[in-house]
Amino acid sequence: MALDRWIALVILMISLAYGYTAFFTMDEGLPPFMKFNAIWPSTFPKGLSVLAVICALIILLSPQKSDAGPKTGDIDYRRLLDYKLGQAVALLAMMAIYALALRPVGFLIATVGFLVISAMILGERKLHILIPIAVLAAGVVWYLVQGVLGIYLRPLPLFLGNGV
Amino acid sequence: MLDGILIGLGTAFSLSNLLMVIGGCLIGTFIGMLPGLGPMSIISIMIPVAISIGDPSAALILLAGVYYGAIFGGSTSSILINAPGVASTVATSFDGYPLARQGKAGKALTVAAISSFCGGTIGAVLLMIFAPALASVALLFHSAEYFALMVVGLSAIAAFAGTGQVVKALLMTVLGLIMATVGEGALFNMPRFTMGIMDLQSGFGFITLAMAMFALPEALYLVLDPSRSASEGGSSEIKDLRITRAEAKSIAPVIGRQSIQGFLIGVLPGAGATIASFLGYAVERNIAPKDEQKEFGKGSIKGLAAPESANNAACTGSFVPLLTLGIPGSGTTAILLGALIALNVSPGPRLMVDEPEIFWAVIISMYVGNLVLLILNLPLIPYIAKVLAVPRNYLIPFIFFFTLMGAYIGQNNATELLILVGLGICATVLRFADYPLAPLLIGFILGSMLEDNFSRSMQLYDGLGFLMERPMTIGLLGLAAILVILPSYRARRARLRQAGVADGD
């Protein structure tokens, strides 16, 4: 089965779960006076779930050849292993680690770490250039966000104080 | 109208707003030049900055400048290294790159800049004429018509965005609407579909979703396929930016025609700058004399002027439904709509009446933006083009970092970054399978407005009676049905004919 049909199947499952909630469980907690209204919180979602199920089923059951291949310049998922898949996964992992580290480690260390390690994942080895650029960028962005935009970003880890 | 123009001039020509236009155009040009980053990604990244400004006029002027700049920057990379920064400048590379290879990069950039300027300016004039008229008609609309109009907009977007794959686009639109129902809605004041997760109480963040749908997949594509990065090519020497009088004379009618055609295409929901540029190129190629037709694709300045005027005029045209009806005609204007809502501004027919300074300042700033791009960027192009030399190993981590920062600044919540990564992976997989993502975002942004108008009509008419009692509503809903059914029917007929079973074959 082609990828687009797998995706349609997943969306169908999500739509069914969404529809089940809208049709059967959502209105249980509705106050009695609201039940006289023409519109309930579940009215719109009910319609959406039906539409989503119909669309997903059309894609899933359509006899047309849906796996026509990629457009020029796009990534062909059937040859995914020919691409730099490892680098992409590693960078996504770095993003997740960055998200988890941002508060406990502080913005400056987390950002410098993220930029340096990400560039190294991509093959950069000139650390004497990379580290100063990362430190400078982290410092400038921290100043702009905290100083200019006024959004609080803890620059350093908690044990080093608030750092502001 | 004159009063409005004067208000707009006053707002747009304040020092801070002039700086916004100049800054937006420069930022847009710089980033738009980087292959892989389209205007939607750039605007998504810039939204937290714009929102933090606080002043809606200034924010919208900045974002409009970034939009124009990105389109202009995309043309530059198309011409110099045959790597269109944005989809709407792909057609620019057909003749722009051959010209650059012939050593006429400077001339090509000048033609592109002049065509963009004229396209954008003519578009802004047409916007000034059409928008107030459309807004006054739209003032007659009630919630039922608004609901129907939004359904028409969403259907048109699904029909156009998913050329040949309307069902996929429709499914994405519905998925966007479903995502919009997550969280505590204003109308019922009770959490829906949050699965008990506190972070979903306020729903999905619009900025996070925009980043996840556009910026992150683009950046991941750059990682997966290094040939998409800029550092592959070297920009050719840029000298002699002049064009001759004969050349100017030959492109003038092309610019005129394509500015009007591009604008009209831009006004249509779903048909944005990309379609306008391809159509503009195709039309000019078809109507050109036989000997000139052969030059198309080999370095024709007419072939370069056509998509450049059309895409800029279309960008301006796409502001018409946004400003007058509150309905975004493209993914980019959907992001702008989200930004406006975040700034407590409701675009629509009331915008011109209630907040004329915003409405007119945006239109006036479009002239200024086009002028800035022409005056400032043209002489600076040889220097700005240096950005194409940024190595991939540095460029990509920074794109990821700015994407993360955009989502963090928007919500001030680290969990949002994890949601961004998760949604970004989903968006990338969806793109692998050729599911269009713009309808999802537009559905998400219009979702709450659609439900509000639907609910209001249901309450007013105590049920679905509004469908029967308001003929315009039923007419618009009929139009929406035709918009969805017709392209599917035609695609099916074409397939059957290809298979030789249609029409009794």
Side-chain angles (χ1 to χ4, degrees), chain A residues 4 7 18 26 41 44 73 83-84 95 98-99 103 111 119 122 124 137 149 151 153, chain B residues 52 168 178 181 192 216 223-224 228 393-394 398 400-401 408-409 417 430 433 435 451:
Chain A
D4 55 351
I7 290 172
Y18 180 85
M26 224 172 124
F44 195 64
Y83 298 105
K84 308 263 183 191
M95 287 177 88
Y98 180 74
R103 286 264 163 93
T111 302
L122 291 167
E124 183 60 42
L149 300 180
I151 296 167
L153 271 179
Chain B
S52 66
K168 274 185 183 176
I178 286 177
T181 61
R192 293 185 295 180
L216 203 52
V223 178
L224 286 166
R228 294 168 77 100
N393 295 349
Y394 287 83
F398 274 94
F400 277 107
F401 169 60
Y408 186 80
I409 294 168
L417 302 185
L430 284 170
Y435 278 86
E451 189 177 9

mmCIF file of all heavy atoms in Angstrom, chain A residues 4 7 18 26 41 44 73 83-84 95 98-99 103 111 119 122 124 137 149 151 153, chain B residues 52 168 178 181 192 216 223-224 228 393-394 398 400-401 408-409 417 430 433 435 451:
data_model
loop_
_atom_site.group_PDB
_atom_site.id
_atom_site.type_symbol
_atom_site.label_atom_id
_atom_site.label_comp_id
_atom_site.label_asym_id
_atom_site.label_seq_id
_atom_site.Cartn_x
_atom_site.Cartn_y
_atom_site.Cartn_z
ATOM 1 N N ASP A 4 0.560 7.370 0.823
ATOM 2 C CA ASP A 4 -0.585 8.267 1.006
ATOM 3 C C ASP A 4 -1.810 7.512 1.530
ATOM 4 O O ASP A 4 -2.629 8.055 2.256
ATOM 5 C CB ASP A 4 -0.905 9.056 -0.273
ATOM 6 C CG ASP A 4 -1.137 8.194 -1.479
ATOM 7 O OD1 ASP A 4 -0.887 6.980 -1.389
ATOM 8 O OD2 ASP A 4 -1.572 8.736 -2.514
ATOM 9 N N ILE A 7 -1.313 6.949 5.227
ATOM 10 C CA ILE A 7 -1.633 8.196 5.944
ATOM 11 C C ILE A 7 -3.144 8.365 6.039
ATOM 12 O O ILE A 7 -3.684 8.721 7.101
ATOM 13 C CB ILE A 7 -0.980 9.404 5.237
ATOM 14 C CG1 ILE A 7 0.535 9.336 5.430
ATOM 15 C CG2 ILE A 7 -1.512 10.729 5.780
ATOM 16 C CD1 ILE A 7 1.315 10.349 4.647
ATOM 17 N N TYR A 18 -12.170 10.749 16.988
ATOM 18 C CA TYR A 18 -12.697 12.105 17.145
ATOM 19 C C TYR A 18 -14.229 12.071 17.054
ATOM 20 O O TYR A 18 -14.938 12.652 17.871
ATOM 21 C CB TYR A 18 -12.091 12.966 16.025
ATOM 22 C CG TYR A 18 -12.510 14.418 15.993
ATOM 23 C CD1 TYR A 18 -11.866 15.370 16.763
ATOM 24 C CD2 TYR A 18 -13.522 14.852 15.139
ATOM 25 C CE1 TYR A 18 -12.228 16.708 16.704
ATOM 26 C CE2 TYR A 18 -13.889 16.178 15.072
ATOM 27 C CZ TYR A 18 -13.236 17.112 15.852
ATOM 28 O OH TYR A 18 -13.603 18.427 15.789
ATOM 29 N N MET A 26 -19.007 13.440 24.391
ATOM 30 C CA MET A 26 -18.771 14.855 24.640
ATOM 31 C C MET A 26 -19.928 15.578 25.337
ATOM 32 O O MET A 26 -19.712 16.471 26.147
ATOM 33 C CB MET A 26 -18.517 15.554 23.310
ATOM 34 C CG MET A 26 -17.379 16.507 23.366
ATOM 35 S SD MET A 26 -17.072 17.036 21.705
ATOM 36 C CE MET A 26 -17.223 18.744 21.969
ATOM 37 N N PRO A 41 -21.757 21.977 21.788
ATOM 38 C CA PRO A 41 -20.322 21.976 21.485
ATOM 39 C C PRO A 41 -19.914 20.852 20.522
ATOM 40 O O PRO A 41 -18.889 20.934 19.857
ATOM 41 C CB PRO A 41 -19.673 21.762 22.855
ATOM 42 C CG PRO A 41 -20.686 22.241 23.833
ATOM 43 C CD PRO A 41 -22.025 21.973 23.227
ATOM 44 N N PHE A 44 -20.569 20.951 15.567
ATOM 45 C CA PHE A 44 -19.582 21.192 14.501
ATOM 46 C C PHE A 44 -18.606 20.010 14.368
ATOM 47 O O PHE A 44 -18.400 19.508 13.254
ATOM 48 C CB PHE A 44 -18.850 22.503 14.815
ATOM 49 C CG PHE A 44 -18.078 23.075 13.675
ATOM 50 C CD1 PHE A 44 -18.706 23.510 12.513
ATOM 51 C CD2 PHE A 44 -16.706 23.203 13.762
ATOM 52 C CE1 PHE A 44 -17.982 24.044 11.466
ATOM 53 C CE2 PHE A 44 -15.972 23.740 12.725
ATOM 54 C CZ PHE A 44 -16.610 24.164 11.574
ATOM 55 N N GLY A 73 12.317 17.567 -7.959
ATOM 56 C CA GLY A 73 12.921 18.323 -6.870
ATOM 57 C C GLY A 73 12.475 17.897 -5.492
ATOM 58 O O GLY A 73 13.072 18.280 -4.500
ATOM 59 N N TYR A 83 19.095 9.213 0.943
ATOM 60 C CA TYR A 83 19.273 10.584 1.421
ATOM 61 C C TYR A 83 19.987 10.576 2.779
ATOM 62 O O TYR A 83 20.284 9.520 3.335
ATOM 63 C CB TYR A 83 17.916 11.281 1.562
ATOM 64 C CG TYR A 83 17.159 11.417 0.270
ATOM 65 C CD1 TYR A 83 16.070 10.604 -0.003
ATOM 66 C CD2 TYR A 83 17.552 12.350 -0.685
ATOM 67 C CE1 TYR A 83 15.376 10.724 -1.200
ATOM 68 C CE2 TYR A 83 16.849 12.482 -1.882
ATOM 69 C CZ TYR A 83 15.771 11.670 -2.133
ATOM 70 O OH TYR A 83 15.087 11.795 -3.307
ATOM 71 N N LYS A 84 20.255 11.769 3.292
ATOM 72 C CA LYS A 84 20.965 11.876 4.579
ATOM 73 C C LYS A 84 19.965 11.694 5.718
ATOM 74 O O LYS A 84 19.706 12.629 6.496
ATOM 75 C CB LYS A 84 21.633 13.252 4.681
ATOM 76 C CG LYS A 84 22.495 13.615 3.495
ATOM 77 C CD LYS A 84 23.930 13.307 3.787
ATOM 78 C CE LYS A 84 24.825 13.735 2.630
ATOM 79 N NZ LYS A 84 26.177 13.220 2.756
ATOM 80 N N MET A 95 16.835 18.715 18.371
ATOM 81 C CA MET A 95 15.785 19.711 18.650
ATOM 82 C C MET A 95 15.009 19.329 19.908
ATOM 83 O O MET A 95 14.704 20.178 20.746
ATOM 84 C CB MET A 95 14.809 19.810 17.471
ATOM 85 C CG MET A 95 15.387 20.510 16.272
ATOM 86 S SD MET A 95 14.219 20.525 14.900
ATOM 87 C CE MET A 95 13.310 22.008 15.258
ATOM 88 N N TYR A 98 17.173 19.917 22.887
ATOM 89 C CA TYR A 98 17.235 21.370 23.127
ATOM 90 C C TYR A 98 15.991 21.834 23.884
ATOM 91 O O TYR A 98 16.082 22.606 24.839
ATOM 92 C CB TYR A 98 17.354 22.091 21.789
ATOM 93 C CG TYR A 98 17.420 23.597 21.882
ATOM 94 C CD1 TYR A 98 18.576 24.228 22.331
ATOM 95 C CD2 TYR A 98 16.339 24.396 21.526
ATOM 96 C CE1 TYR A 98 18.643 25.610 22.412
ATOM 97 C CE2 TYR A 98 16.398 25.778 21.609
ATOM 98 C CZ TYR A 98 17.558 26.377 22.058
ATOM 99 O OH TYR A 98 17.626 27.744 22.149
ATOM 100 N N ALA A 99 14.827 21.317 23.436
ATOM 101 C CA ALA A 99 13.568 21.712 24.086
ATOM 102 C C ALA A 99 13.580 21.309 25.565
ATOM 103 O O ALA A 99 13.149 22.079 26.429
ATOM 104 C CB ALA A 99 12.391 21.046 23.377
ATOM 105 N N ARG A 103 15.255 25.018 29.720
ATOM 106 C CA ARG A 103 15.009 25.567 31.062
ATOM 107 C C ARG A 103 16.114 25.186 32.050
ATOM 108 O O ARG A 103 16.721 26.069 32.645
ATOM 109 C CB ARG A 103 13.655 25.086 31.571
ATOM 110 C CG ARG A 103 12.483 25.778 30.880
ATOM 111 C CD ARG A 103 11.994 26.960 31.727
ATOM 112 N NE ARG A 103 11.162 27.877 30.930
ATOM 113 C CZ ARG A 103 9.839 27.801 30.850
ATOM 114 N NH1 ARG A 103 9.197 26.890 31.523
ATOM 115 N NH2 ARG A 103 9.172 28.659 30.111
ATOM 116 N N THR A 111 21.828 26.734 23.681
ATOM 117 C CA THR A 111 21.882 27.194 22.288
ATOM 118 C C THR A 111 23.248 26.945 21.664
ATOM 119 O O THR A 111 23.346 26.444 20.543
ATOM 120 C CB THR A 111 21.535 28.700 22.216
ATOM 121 O OG1 THR A 111 20.251 28.876 22.786
ATOM 122 C CG2 THR A 111 21.512 29.202 20.792
ATOM 123 N N ALA A 119 25.871 21.515 13.779
ATOM 124 C CA ALA A 119 26.805 21.743 12.670
ATOM 125 C C ALA A 119 27.786 20.578 12.547
ATOM 126 O O ALA A 119 28.145 20.166 11.436
ATOM 127 C CB ALA A 119 27.560 23.053 12.885
ATOM 128 N N LEU A 122 26.320 17.752 10.777
ATOM 129 C CA LEU A 122 26.288 17.990 9.328
ATOM 130 C C LEU A 122 27.683 17.900 8.702
ATOM 131 O O LEU A 122 27.833 18.068 7.492
ATOM 132 C CB LEU A 122 25.673 19.364 9.037
ATOM 133 C CG LEU A 122 24.176 19.476 9.336
ATOM 134 C CD1 LEU A 122 23.718 20.923 9.336
ATOM 135 C CD2 LEU A 122 23.356 18.690 8.321
ATOM 136 N N GLU A 124 30.626 19.632 9.985
ATOM 137 C CA GLU A 124 31.530 20.759 10.232
ATOM 138 C C GLU A 124 32.579 20.351 11.269
ATOM 139 O O GLU A 124 32.250 19.787 12.305
ATOM 140 C CB GLU A 124 30.732 21.976 10.718
ATOM 141 C CG GLU A 124 31.547 23.228 10.929
ATOM 142 C CD GLU A 124 32.242 23.707 9.662
ATOM 143 O OE1 GLU A 124 31.628 23.676 8.599
ATOM 144 O OE2 GLU A 124 33.416 24.097 9.766
ATOM 145 N N ALA A 137 26.143 34.250 18.235
ATOM 146 C CA ALA A 137 24.724 34.186 17.834
ATOM 147 C C ALA A 137 23.832 34.017 19.060
ATOM 148 O O ALA A 137 22.801 34.700 19.188
ATOM 149 C CB ALA A 137 24.515 33.032 16.863
ATOM 150 N N LEU A 149 12.705 42.395 22.972
ATOM 151 C CA LEU A 149 11.322 41.900 22.967
ATOM 152 C C LEU A 149 10.743 41.772 24.375
ATOM 153 O O LEU A 149 9.533 41.657 24.542
ATOM 154 C CB LEU A 149 11.225 40.548 22.251
ATOM 155 C CG LEU A 149 11.662 40.512 20.783
ATOM 156 C CD1 LEU A 149 11.520 39.115 20.212
ATOM 157 C CD2 LEU A 149 10.838 41.483 19.955
ATOM 158 N N ILE A 151 11.043 39.273 26.508
ATOM 159 C CA ILE A 151 10.571 37.922 26.865
ATOM 160 C C ILE A 151 11.665 37.251 27.698
ATOM 161 O O ILE A 151 12.819 37.160 27.258
ATOM 162 C CB ILE A 151 10.264 37.092 25.600
ATOM 163 C CG1 ILE A 151 9.110 37.747 24.835
ATOM 164 C CG2 ILE A 151 9.930 35.645 25.944
ATOM 165 C CD1 ILE A 151 8.909 37.231 23.446
ATOM 166 N N LEU A 153 14.197 34.887 29.249
ATOM 167 C CA LEU A 153 14.905 33.661 28.893
ATOM 168 C C LEU A 153 16.018 33.484 29.905
ATOM 169 O O LEU A 153 16.910 34.334 29.984
ATOM 170 C CB LEU A 153 15.551 33.814 27.512
ATOM 171 C CG LEU A 153 14.769 33.452 26.259
ATOM 172 C CD1 LEU A 153 15.623 33.730 25.035
ATOM 173 C CD2 LEU A 153 14.363 32.000 26.258
ATOM 174 N N SER B 52 5.382 40.974 18.875
ATOM 175 C CA SER B 52 5.958 41.659 20.047
ATOM 176 C C SER B 52 6.029 43.167 19.829
ATOM 177 O O SER B 52 6.168 43.922 20.792
ATOM 178 C CB SER B 52 7.330 41.083 20.378
ATOM 179 O OG SER B 52 8.190 41.386 19.321
ATOM 180 N N LYS B 168 -7.436 14.862 -1.352
ATOM 181 C CA LYS B 168 -6.335 14.999 -0.382
ATOM 182 C C LYS B 168 -6.349 16.397 0.245
ATOM 183 O O LYS B 168 -6.195 16.557 1.456
ATOM 184 C CB LYS B 168 -4.988 14.783 -1.077
ATOM 185 C CG LYS B 168 -4.569 13.344 -1.166
ATOM 186 C CD LYS B 168 -3.175 13.292 -1.753
ATOM 187 C CE LYS B 168 -2.720 11.863 -1.926
ATOM 188 N NZ LYS B 168 -1.408 11.784 -2.568
ATOM 189 N N ILE B 178 -10.461 20.287 12.237
ATOM 190 C CA ILE B 178 -10.519 19.421 13.426
ATOM 191 C C ILE B 178 -9.516 19.923 14.476
ATOM 192 O O ILE B 178 -9.830 20.016 15.664
ATOM 193 C CB ILE B 178 -10.241 17.945 13.038
ATOM 194 C CG1 ILE B 178 -11.467 17.362 12.313
ATOM 195 C CG2 ILE B 178 -9.858 17.106 14.244
ATOM 196 C CD1 ILE B 178 -11.312 15.943 11.817
ATOM 197 N N THR B 181 -10.647 22.738 16.586
ATOM 198 C CA THR B 181 -11.656 22.510 17.631
ATOM 199 C C THR B 181 -11.024 22.041 18.946
ATOM 200 O O THR B 181 -11.720 21.938 19.955
ATOM 201 C CB THR B 181 -12.708 21.467 17.187
ATOM 202 O OG1 THR B 181 -12.040 20.228 16.933
ATOM 203 C CG2 THR B 181 -13.473 21.900 15.969
ATOM 204 N N ARG B 192 -12.455 20.959 24.816
ATOM 205 C CA ARG B 192 -12.860 19.882 23.912
ATOM 206 C C ARG B 192 -11.611 19.187 23.362
ATOM 207 O O ARG B 192 -10.645 19.846 22.994
ATOM 208 C CB ARG B 192 -13.671 20.441 22.734
ATOM 209 C CG ARG B 192 -15.006 21.014 23.125
ATOM 210 C CD ARG B 192 -15.798 21.428 21.899
ATOM 211 N NE ARG B 192 -15.175 22.520 21.164
ATOM 212 C CZ ARG B 192 -15.687 23.052 20.050
ATOM 213 N NH1 ARG B 192 -16.806 22.584 19.557
ATOM 214 N NH2 ARG B 192 -15.081 24.045 19.443
ATOM 215 N N LEU B 216 9.897 23.820 9.228
ATOM 216 C CA LEU B 216 10.616 22.600 9.614
ATOM 217 C C LEU B 216 10.753 21.598 8.461
ATOM 218 O O LEU B 216 11.860 21.090 8.225
ATOM 219 C CB LEU B 216 9.927 21.973 10.842
ATOM 220 C CG LEU B 216 10.792 21.072 11.698
ATOM 221 C CD1 LEU B 216 12.082 21.737 12.099
ATOM 222 C CD2 LEU B 216 10.044 20.631 12.941
ATOM 223 N N VAL B 223 18.342 19.094 4.728
ATOM 224 C CA VAL B 223 19.263 18.129 5.346
ATOM 225 C C VAL B 223 19.272 16.847 4.510
ATOM 226 O O VAL B 223 20.333 16.308 4.177
ATOM 227 C CB VAL B 223 18.819 17.797 6.789
ATOM 228 C CG1 VAL B 223 19.754 16.765 7.417
ATOM 229 C CG2 VAL B 223 18.785 19.040 7.639
ATOM 230 N N LEU B 224 18.082 16.374 4.174
ATOM 231 C CA LEU B 224 17.977 15.096 3.467
ATOM 232 C C LEU B 224 18.653 15.144 2.102
ATOM 233 O O LEU B 224 19.336 14.208 1.697
ATOM 234 C CB LEU B 224 16.498 14.721 3.298
ATOM 235 C CG LEU B 224 15.781 14.224 4.558
ATOM 236 C CD1 LEU B 224 14.279 14.209 4.346
ATOM 237 C CD2 LEU B 224 16.261 12.838 4.954
ATOM 238 N N ARG B 228 19.828 20.569 -2.594
ATOM 239 C CA ARG B 228 18.881 21.690 -2.521
ATOM 240 C C ARG B 228 19.514 22.917 -1.870
ATOM 241 O O ARG B 228 18.952 24.000 -1.938
ATOM 242 C CB ARG B 228 17.643 21.290 -1.705
ATOM 243 C CG ARG B 228 16.821 20.230 -2.369
ATOM 244 C CD ARG B 228 15.819 19.685 -1.398
ATOM 245 N NE ARG B 228 14.689 20.575 -1.199
ATOM 246 C CZ ARG B 228 13.523 20.416 -1.784
ATOM 247 N NH1 ARG B 228 13.336 19.433 -2.627
ATOM 248 N NH2 ARG B 228 12.541 21.228 -1.546
ATOM 249 N N ASN B 393 26.537 23.740 6.352
ATOM 250 C CA ASN B 393 26.731 23.271 7.735
ATOM 251 C C ASN B 393 26.394 24.344 8.771
ATOM 252 O O ASN B 393 26.093 24.038 9.917
ATOM 253 C CB ASN B 393 28.184 22.839 7.958
ATOM 254 C CG ASN B 393 28.537 21.643 7.116
ATOM 255 O OD1 ASN B 393 27.649 21.025 6.537
ATOM 256 N ND2 ASN B 393 29.812 21.325 7.046
ATOM 257 N N TYR B 394 26.476 25.605 8.367
ATOM 258 C CA TYR B 394 26.135 26.695 9.283
ATOM 259 C C TYR B 394 24.684 27.116 9.091
ATOM 260 O O TYR B 394 23.989 27.442 10.042
ATOM 261 C CB TYR B 394 27.046 27.906 9.031
ATOM 262 C CG TYR B 394 28.455 27.690 9.519
ATOM 263 C CD1 TYR B 394 29.383 27.010 8.739
ATOM 264 C CD2 TYR B 394 28.854 28.141 10.780
ATOM 265 C CE1 TYR B 394 30.677 26.777 9.186
ATOM 266 C CE2 TYR B 394 30.142 27.919 11.232
ATOM 267 C CZ TYR B 394 31.048 27.237 10.437
ATOM 268 O OH TYR B 394 32.314 27.018 10.895
ATOM 269 N N PHE B 398 21.126 27.014 11.909
ATOM 270 C CA PHE B 398 20.517 28.310 12.226
ATOM 271 C C PHE B 398 19.035 28.344 11.831
ATOM 272 O O PHE B 398 18.228 28.929 12.530
ATOM 273 C CB PHE B 398 21.298 29.458 11.572
ATOM 274 C CG PHE B 398 22.446 29.919 12.440
ATOM 275 C CD1 PHE B 398 23.718 29.412 12.262
ATOM 276 C CD2 PHE B 398 22.230 30.816 13.473
ATOM 277 C CE1 PHE B 398 24.766 29.797 13.087
ATOM 278 C CE2 PHE B 398 23.270 31.215 14.311
ATOM 279 C CZ PHE B 398 24.548 30.700 14.112
ATOM 280 N N PHE B 400 17.045 25.751 11.843
ATOM 281 C CA PHE B 400 16.380 24.974 12.908
ATOM 282 C C PHE B 400 16.256 25.811 14.179
ATOM 283 O O PHE B 400 15.226 25.831 14.835
ATOM 284 C CB PHE B 400 17.174 23.699 13.212
ATOM 285 C CG PHE B 400 16.875 22.561 12.285
ATOM 286 C CD1 PHE B 400 17.772 22.171 11.313
ATOM 287 C CD2 PHE B 400 15.679 21.866 12.383
ATOM 288 C CE1 PHE B 400 17.488 21.129 10.445
ATOM 289 C CE2 PHE B 400 15.388 20.826 11.519
ATOM 290 C CZ PHE B 400 16.294 20.452 10.553
ATOM 291 N N PHE B 401 17.334 26.502 14.507
ATOM 292 C CA PHE B 401 17.357 27.290 15.739
ATOM 293 C C PHE B 401 16.309 28.404 15.692
ATOM 294 O O PHE B 401 15.549 28.605 16.647
ATOM 295 C CB PHE B 401 18.774 27.859 15.936
ATOM 296 C CG PHE B 401 18.863 28.890 17.022
ATOM 297 C CD1 PHE B 401 18.518 28.575 18.333
ATOM 298 C CD2 PHE B 401 19.296 30.176 16.737
ATOM 299 C CE1 PHE B 401 18.590 29.526 19.332
ATOM 300 C CE2 PHE B 401 19.378 31.129 17.739
ATOM 301 C CZ PHE B 401 19.017 30.807 19.025
ATOM 302 N N TYR B 408 9.101 29.209 20.499
ATOM 303 C CA TYR B 408 9.287 29.473 21.929
ATOM 304 C C TYR B 408 8.832 30.892 22.286
ATOM 305 O O TYR B 408 8.105 31.099 23.262
ATOM 306 C CB TYR B 408 10.757 29.271 22.316
ATOM 307 C CG TYR B 408 10.972 29.383 23.800
ATOM 308 C CD1 TYR B 408 10.681 28.301 24.638
ATOM 309 C CD2 TYR B 408 11.425 30.559 24.381
ATOM 310 C CE1 TYR B 408 10.846 28.395 25.999
ATOM 311 C CE2 TYR B 408 11.597 30.661 25.742
ATOM 312 C CZ TYR B 408 11.302 29.581 26.551
ATOM 313 O OH TYR B 408 11.453 29.682 27.906
ATOM 314 N N ILE B 409 9.229 31.841 21.443
ATOM 315 C CA ILE B 409 8.852 33.238 21.725
ATOM 316 C C ILE B 409 7.335 33.399 21.634
ATOM 317 O O ILE B 409 6.721 34.095 22.425
ATOM 318 C CB ILE B 409 9.560 34.202 20.739
ATOM 319 C CG1 ILE B 409 11.058 34.183 20.980
ATOM 320 C CG2 ILE B 409 9.059 35.629 20.896
ATOM 321 C CD1 ILE B 409 11.859 34.859 19.893
ATOM 322 N N LEU B 417 7.956 23.416 22.056
ATOM 323 C CA LEU B 417 9.020 23.003 21.147
ATOM 324 C C LEU B 417 8.901 21.516 20.820
ATOM 325 O O LEU B 417 9.161 21.088 19.698
ATOM 326 C CB LEU B 417 10.393 23.307 21.756
ATOM 327 C CG LEU B 417 10.665 24.758 22.131
ATOM 328 C CD1 LEU B 417 12.098 24.933 22.607
ATOM 329 C CD2 LEU B 417 10.419 25.668 20.937
ATOM 330 N N LEU B 430 3.674 13.921 5.643
ATOM 331 C CA LEU B 430 2.548 14.297 4.771
ATOM 332 C C LEU B 430 3.065 14.838 3.436
ATOM 333 O O LEU B 430 2.509 14.551 2.387
ATOM 334 C CB LEU B 430 1.672 15.356 5.456
ATOM 335 C CG LEU B 430 0.743 14.852 6.564
ATOM 336 C CD1 LEU B 430 0.129 16.025 7.322
ATOM 337 C CD2 LEU B 430 -0.379 13.987 6.008
ATOM 338 N N ALA B 433 4.141 12.207 1.006
ATOM 339 C CA ALA B 433 3.020 11.555 0.316
ATOM 340 C C ALA B 433 2.207 12.551 -0.509
ATOM 341 O O ALA B 433 1.116 12.216 -0.951
ATOM 342 C CB ALA B 433 2.134 10.867 1.333
ATOM 343 N N TYR B 435 0.651 15.319 0.244
ATOM 344 C CA TYR B 435 -0.548 15.947 0.813
ATOM 345 C C TYR B 435 -0.256 17.437 0.944
ATOM 346 O O TYR B 435 0.756 17.796 1.550
ATOM 347 C CB TYR B 435 -0.854 15.378 2.213
ATOM 348 C CG TYR B 435 -1.594 14.066 2.217
ATOM 349 C CD1 TYR B 435 -0.903 12.862 2.133
ATOM 350 C CD2 TYR B 435 -2.972 14.017 2.326
ATOM 351 C CE1 TYR B 435 -1.568 11.647 2.137
ATOM 352 C CE2 TYR B 435 -3.651 12.811 2.331
ATOM 353 C CZ TYR B 435 -2.952 11.627 2.246
ATOM 354 O OH TYR B 435 -3.615 10.440 2.248
ATOM 355 N N GLU B 451 -16.759 28.082 12.803
ATOM 356 C CA GLU B 451 -17.662 27.517 13.816
ATOM 357 C C GLU B 451 -18.483 28.617 14.495
ATOM 358 O O GLU B 451 -19.671 28.447 14.741
ATOM 359 C CB GLU B 451 -16.882 26.714 14.860
ATOM 360 C CG GLU B 451 -17.826 25.964 15.776
ATOM 361 C CD GLU B 451 -17.120 25.090 16.799
ATOM 362 O OE1 GLU B 451 -15.892 25.179 16.926
ATOM 363 O OE2 GLU B 451 -17.807 24.323 17.487
#
